[in-house]
């Protein structure tokens, strides 16, 4: 076998590393913000029946326009959206890739506010779009003033706002989103992957869509909907935007099995989302108990918590892993990120962390230093 650097790979991909959240089999996996609650048995049975039915038709290509799925998603989102305003793909990562393919590309720029979701820069690289990382305010907040100043400075073709932001959990105000739209001339994507975990009644960027044809709001079934393994993401925008995305998608990109599974799951939205309140309660518990242990948890509107005050993130990560608890070291100095799991998983994490002592004591078992 040769090595990657010996291949005639595109120059702009040389030296790049792929997305690489560890996939490990551990008793308590709280590292990639999945919904750790299994989907209810009756919903699973309906999905299996729908997929079984679809299997009989897989000798034919699937509905290229995924009409039934777009109808289901429009109904789920509300806000008077029509199916013509909905786009979907194999995860919101693919939706974002379509957006960058259609509106980015060589000679164009996309701006985000760091630290933010690591896939944005990778998707930009893959589509030849130049990625620009703007600043945030204290505590990873993003005010309209800071965002607008950066947009005026770099004049991007695309702005990607993550609301709430991954990996920090920070909610984003609707005022900042509206100001970003006013200040920019290009596409504004609001990635609402975690919107369902915001307090009830929090406004979504969906409410800003009327009259804003450059605004795109992306969502996913991977998080609140407990559907990460099925790969379904979607967005809502002006119908002309979905026409633009049709130009770059592969024909028949959503398999008949994916479409059938997603439509069946969406018919049970209430049940699929039943655990969201419980997960948000565990998130709030994480914030309280992490502070009690001497750590510095950040405000979160998502299903995870970023916490600072970690003296040696790598050592803490390793010693939690040694106790069967996998969380995420996202490379922010002094910080780690943990997903809110079931009550039992959250307890397992907090117990394992407490066994390392109070944050200020920085008790890192000496054996771990030699392992690291
Ligand atoms: C998890 C996540 C997604 C979801 O990706 P899928 O491809 O839909 O699984 C999108 N955006 C952010 C910010 C995320 O954290």
């Amino acid at each position: 076998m040769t090595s990657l650097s010996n291949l005639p790979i595109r120059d702009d991909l040389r030296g790049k590393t792929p997305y690489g959240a560890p996939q490990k089999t551990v008793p308590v996996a709280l590292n990639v913000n999945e919904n750790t609650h299994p989907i209810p048995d009756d919903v699973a049975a309906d999905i299996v029946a729908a997929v079984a039915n679809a299997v009989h038709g897989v000798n034919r290509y699937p509905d290229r326009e995924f009409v039934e799925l777009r109808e289901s998603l429009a109904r789920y989102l509300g806000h008077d959206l029509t199916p013509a305003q909905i786009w979907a793909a194999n995860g919101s990562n693919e939706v974002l890739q379509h957006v960058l393919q259609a509106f980015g590309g060589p000679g164009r720029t996309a701006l985000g506010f760091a630290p933010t979701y690591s896939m944005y820069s990778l998707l930009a690289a893959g589509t030849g779009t130049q990625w620009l990382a703007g600043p945030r305010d204290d505590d990873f907040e993003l005010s309209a003033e800071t965002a607008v100043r950066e947009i005026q400075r770099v004049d991007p073709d695309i702005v990607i706002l993550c609301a709430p932001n991954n990996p920090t959990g920070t909610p984003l105000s609707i005022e900042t989103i509206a100001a970003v739209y006013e200040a920019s001339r290009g596409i504004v994507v609001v990635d609402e992957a975690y919107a369902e975990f915001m307090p009830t009644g929090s406004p979504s960027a969906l409410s800003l869509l009327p009259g804003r044809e450059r605004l795109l709001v992306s969502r996913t079934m991977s998080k609140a909907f407990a559907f990460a393994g099925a790969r379904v993401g979607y967005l809502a925008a002006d119908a002309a935007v979905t026409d633009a995305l049709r130009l770059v998608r592969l024909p028949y990109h959503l398999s008949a099995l994916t479409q059938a599974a997603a439509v069946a799951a969406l018919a049970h939205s209430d049940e699929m989302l039943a655990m969201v309140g419980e997960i948000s309660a565990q998130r709030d518990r994480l914030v309280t108990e992490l502070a009690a242990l001497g750590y510095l948890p950040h405000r979160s509107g998502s299903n995870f918590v970023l916490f600072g005050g970690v003296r040696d993130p790598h050592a803490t990560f390793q010693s939690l892993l040694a106790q069967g608890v996998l969380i995420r070291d996202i490379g922010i100095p002094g910080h780690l990120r943990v997903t809110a799991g079931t009550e039992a998983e959250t307890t397992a994490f907090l117990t394992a962390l407490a066994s390392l002592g109070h944050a200020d004591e920085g008790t890192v078992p000496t054996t771990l230093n030699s392992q690291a």
Side-chain angles (χ1 to χ4, degrees):
M1 179 190 155
T2 185
S3 73
L4 181 53
S5 56
N6 284 333
L7 292 174
I9 192 172
R10 272 164 41 190
D11 289 336
D12 61 330
L13 293 181
R14 280 191 194 282
K16 289 248 177 340
T17 43
Y19 177 83
Q23 284 198 300
K24 291 185 198 289
T25 309
V26 289
V28 181
L30 301 175
N31 65 327
V32 286
N33 303 338
E34 293 149 335
N35 183 335
T36 65
H37 297 75
I39 64 178
D41 283 342
D42 63 320
V43 183
D46 265 15
I47 295 171
V48 169
V51 171
N53 189 42
V55 165
H56 294 294
V58 294
N59 56 312
R60 302 285 185 186
Y61 283 111
D63 174 10
R64 197 172 51 218
E65 286 300 319
F66 47 102
V67 173
E68 209 184 339
L69 177 56
R70 285 194 285 129
E71 285 167 357
S72 298
L73 289 168
R75 209 173 305 124
Y76 168 66
L77 286 178
H79 288 84
D80 294 327
L81 290 163
T82 64
Q85 293 179 268
I86 306 293
W87 187 251
N90 299 282
S92 55
N93 279 296
E94 191 182 50
V95 170
L96 293 169
Q97 185 177 50
H98 288 162
V99 171
L100 288 165
Q101 284 177 308
F103 298 104
R108 295 195 170 198
T109 57
L111 170 71
F113 296 88
T116 192
Y117 187 38
S118 62
M119 278 308 298
Y120 300 151
S121 56
L122 292 175
L123 291 165
T127 57
T129 312
Q130 189 190 350
W131 175 249
L132 305 171
R136 285 179 176 266
D137 304 310
D138 289 350
D139 294 327
F140 306 117
E141 299 285 333
L142 183 59
S143 63
E145 196 188 10
T146 298
V148 166
R149 195 184 312 123
E150 189 65 6
I151 289 163
Q152 288 168 346
R153 198 176 73 79
V154 303
D155 189 31
D157 296 288
I158 299 172
V159 181
I160 306 182
L161 300 172
C162 192
N165 185 51
N166 183 6
T168 63
T170 323
L172 185 63
S173 76
I174 208 86
E175 289 77 20
T176 296
I177 298 170
V180 162
Y181 186 86
E182 290 317 315
S184 53
R185 62 173 167 79
I187 293 291
V188 176
V189 183
V190 184
D191 181 350
E192 291 193 339
Y194 299 97
E196 288 93 344
F197 297 103
M198 286 289 287
T200 354
S202 308
S204 158
L206 293 169
S207 63
L208 295 176
L209 283 175
R212 292 184 177 86
E213 66 282 351
R214 295 177 288 109
L215 181 65
L216 284 55
V217 183
S218 90
R219 294 275 187 107
T220 181
M221 290 180 72
S222 293
K223 307 290 160 61
F225 237 89
F227 225 48
R231 311 303 302 126
V232 184
Y234 53 102
L235 68 67
D238 189 279
V241 169
T242 66
D243 284 337
L245 302 179
R246 275 182 188 87
L247 299 172
V248 296
R249 62 97 177 269
L250 296 173
Y252 317 109
H253 68 292
L254 276 173
S255 86
L257 307 184
T258 303
Q259 293 185 40
V263 168
L266 284 159
H268 293 278
S269 299
D270 290 350
E271 264 182 278
M272 293 293 280
L273 294 172
M275 288 299 160
V276 165
E278 163 66 14
I279 295 165
S280 301
Q282 295 306 316
R283 170 202 63 208
D284 294 341
R285 175 182 169 216
L286 281 170
V287 170
T288 307
E289 302 208 14
L290 282 165
L293 286 170
Y295 293 96
L296 305 167
H298 292 274
R299 179 167 95 100
S300 173
S302 62
N303 68 340
F304 59 85
V305 176
L306 178 74
F307 57 101
V310 189
R311 290 174 59 162
D312 185 344
H314 182 71
T316 300
F317 172 87
Q318 287 296 336
S319 74
L320 292 173
L321 188 57
Q323 297 186 58
V325 180
L326 178 62
I327 64 167
R328 192 82 181 270
D329 180 355
I330 24 86
I332 301 179
H335 286 73
L336 288 168
R337 192 192 72 187
V338 60
T339 307
T342 60
E343 184 176 5
E345 288 166 332
T346 308
T347 300
F349 160 73
L350 288 166
T351 307
L353 189 66
S355 77
L356 307 180
H358 194 269
D360 298 334
E361 297 157 16
T363 45
V364 176
T366 45
T367 49
L368 280 162
N369 293 334
S370 53
Q371 274 174 27

